[in-house]
Amino acid sequence: NQTTDNDMSTEIIKIINENFEASAEIFKNFEKSLRMKQLEFLESIKGEILKRQATSEIGDINFKLEITQELEKDFFEITLNNGFCIFFRIKNMNPIILVGNKSAYSDENKDKLNTALKNSKLGLKNVDWITDEWFVWRYKWNGIGNPTQLIEAIENNEQIKIAEYLYTIVQEIENIR
C-alpha cells in the first residue's frame, strides 16, 4: 500500500500545485470543517448516551453540549444530580475524558472520588495538572488523534464505544454522595 499511498500523495500535490489558490482557500477553512465534524461526533455520542438513559434505572441526568469558540474547546458534558460532572473533550484533536465536581468541590468529595477511583476498573487516572482543581479523574481516548482517525472513528461507530464507556463512568459515580 505504501507505493499506492506515495503515488496518491504525489498526484494530490500536483493537483494542489495546479490549483493553488483554491487549495489555499480549502486549507483556510479546513479547521472550521474539522470542528463541525467533531461536533457531529459529539452529538452522536450524546444520542447514544440518551438511548442508554432511556432504558436505565440510573435516573435523571442533565446533558449539556457546549462549544466555546474562543478557547477552541468542543466538549460534551454530563452533569449528575449529585453534582459530579463528566466531560468528553476534543481539543486540538486530543480527546480526553475528565471527571470532577465543580458545583460542590471539597476535599471530602475529592476523597470520595479517589476512593471510587481505587475501586474502578475503567483506566481512569488522577489528574496531574493544577489548572482546575475540581477535575479529579482523567482518561485519554486514543484513536481520534487526527482527521483521518476521526473519519475512521465515525465510520466504525466509535461513538458507541465512547458512549458505553461514559455511561459506565456515570454508573460508577452516580451514587457518590
Side-chain angles (χ1 to χ4, degrees):
N1 287 339
Q2 286 182 340
T3 303
T4 304
D5 289 346
N6 288 338
D7 292 344
M8 193 176 352
S9 290
T10 301
E11 185 64 26
I12 290 170
I13 291 168
K14 181 180 173 188
I15 292 169
I16 290 171
N17 201 28
E18 291 170 358
N19 302 284
F20 195 75
E21 284 183 36
S23 297
E25 194 63 30
I26 290 169
F27 177 75
K28 190 167 65 174
N29 289 291
F30 182 76
E31 265 188 41
K32 292 175 188 172
S33 178
L34 176 60
R35 299 247 357 245
M36 289 174 60
K37 276 289 180 211
Q38 289 175 346
L39 293 175
E40 288 173 22
F41 191 64
L42 290 174
E43 283 288 352
S44 64
I45 294 169
K46 179 180 178 180
E48 290 296 326
I49 291 175
L50 288 171
K51 285 181 198 174
R52 281 157 184 75
Q53 182 191 24
T55 60
S56 170
E57 302 196 10
I58 284 184
D60 187 29
I61 303 170
N62 297 315
F63 291 90
K64 296 177 188 173
L65 181 61
E66 185 176 336
I67 298 96
T68 309
Q69 296 286 337
E70 304 86 45
L71 300 176
E72 297 180 6
K73 291 181 184 174
D74 299 329
F75 63 89
F76 176 81
E77 177 182 350
I78 303 169
T79 304
L80 298 159
N81 288 331
N82 61 5
F84 292 101
C85 299
I86 302 165
F87 292 88
F88 181 78
R89 181 185 80 186
I90 301 177
K91 180 181 178 189
N92 302 329
M93 292 305 297
N94 183 19
I96 191 168
I97 296 170
L98 298 166
V99 179
N101 186 333
K102 67 180 179 183
S103 63
Y105 179 81
S106 70
D107 286 337
E108 179 185 347
N109 285 339
K110 185 175 181 178
D111 291 342
K112 288 177 185 178
L113 273 173
N114 283 329
T115 299
L117 174 62
K118 287 176 188 170
N119 299 322
S120 175
K121 304 210 182 337
L122 293 173
L124 296 164
K125 298 179 180 178
N126 285 315
V127 169
D128 53 3
W129 66 86
I130 309 293
T131 56
D132 286 309
E133 65 180 15
W134 61 273
F135 285 129
V136 180
W137 291 347
R138 69 171 171 79
Y139 180 84
K140 180 165 179 2
W141 194 272
N142 293 315
I144 316 174
N146 63 52
T148 303
Q149 288 177 329
L150 179 62
I151 292 166
E152 289 172 4
I154 292 167
E155 289 172 353
N156 295 326
N157 292 315
E158 187 81 9
Q159 66 272 19
I160 294 170
K161 290 182 200 170
I162 295 169
E164 287 171 356
Y165 189 83
L166 290 169
Y167 204 71
T168 302
I169 296 171
V170 167
Q171 291 171 317
E172 281 206 8
I173 68 171
E174 195 275 332
N175 292 319
I176 297 173
R177 301 278 179 218

